[in-house]
Amino acid sequence: MTNTFYDDFKAMTAEKMAGSMEDMTYAYRETRVPKAHYKKMLATGVEQVMEASVEINLIQPYISIIKQMMAENPKSFYKALLCIDAKVTISGIRTSEWEALETMWNRHRDVNDPNHATHLPKTTIDDFKAIAKHGIDQLMQDITKEDDQ
């Protein structure tokens, strides 16, 4: 079997790995990431890396429960979210607040509503996708440009 770059890479020291990673990153559209960054990341404790993994695993049950509630009764789920955000308690809900919940649910179902088919505002979803694709720095630059205009 042919020896691959990966085979050589996993045998390198952290110092050489960091340099090699810098070179690989530069080879992609001449993107410069300093060797020191990779060296720091390679020296990160396993505990820190595990924290993110544990948090991801803690979120999964919430996602499952929320999906189940949305499937079983989307109207009640939407109203519950609205009550939480508006700080309305069901035990003390007023007639006007109940009517407002009904109105908001009907508006939310309207296909002309820009937030139709989501539970968070469309701008929140768009920002999430932009950050995931381009990073927070790019989003902040775009916001600064909009403020300057």
Side-chain angles (χ1 to χ4, degrees):
M1 185 185 279
T2 309
N3 202 23
T4 65
F5 178 72
Y6 173 75
D7 295 326
D8 292 341
F9 183 81
K10 67 182 181 181
M12 292 180 184
T13 64
E15 178 80 22
K16 289 191 181 228
M17 279 183 180
S20 190
M21 291 165 76
E22 178 185 24
D23 293 341
M24 287 187 286
T25 306
Y26 183 79
Y28 179 75
R29 298 183 185 174
E30 297 182 0
T31 304
R32 295 190 185 273
V33 177
K35 175 181 168 180
H37 168 73
Y38 291 116
K39 192 172 173 184
K40 178 182 171 190
M41 296 304 291
L42 289 170
T44 301
V46 174
E47 300 84 23
Q48 289 174 290
V49 175
M50 292 300 291
E51 281 180 26
S53 177
V54 168
E55 186 173 356
I56 288 169
N57 288 330
L58 288 174
I59 292 172
Q60 185 56 46
Y62 288 103
I63 293 170
S64 298
I65 292 167
I66 290 169
K67 282 183 175 180
Q68 181 181 354
M69 290 187 312
M70 286 172 32
E72 288 176 6
N73 194 331
K75 181 178 181 178
S76 293
F77 178 76
Y78 178 83
K79 287 180 176 183
L81 286 179
L82 190 52
C83 284
I84 290 169
D85 282 350
K87 295 177 179 39
V88 171
T89 58
I90 292 299
S91 62
I93 194 164
R94 304 188 52 97
T95 304
S96 59
E97 292 168 329
W98 183 256
E99 189 175 299
L101 282 175
E102 280 293 320
T103 301
M104 292 305 296
W105 166 249
N106 289 328
R107 185 183 297 173
H108 177 71
R109 289 186 0 204
D110 183 358
V111 293
N112 295 321
D113 181 356
N115 299 315
H116 180 75
T118 65
H119 293 288
L120 295 172
K122 185 177 179 323
T123 56
T124 301
I125 305 297
D126 292 345
D127 287 349
F128 168 80
K129 288 179 179 180
I131 292 168
K133 184 174 182 179
H134 304 291
I136 189 69
D137 292 339
Q138 181 64 44
L139 180 66
M140 295 310 292
Q141 288 175 8
D142 292 346
I143 290 170
T144 303
K145 285 179 189 175
E146 288 176 12
D147 290 346
D148 291 343
Q149 293 177 354

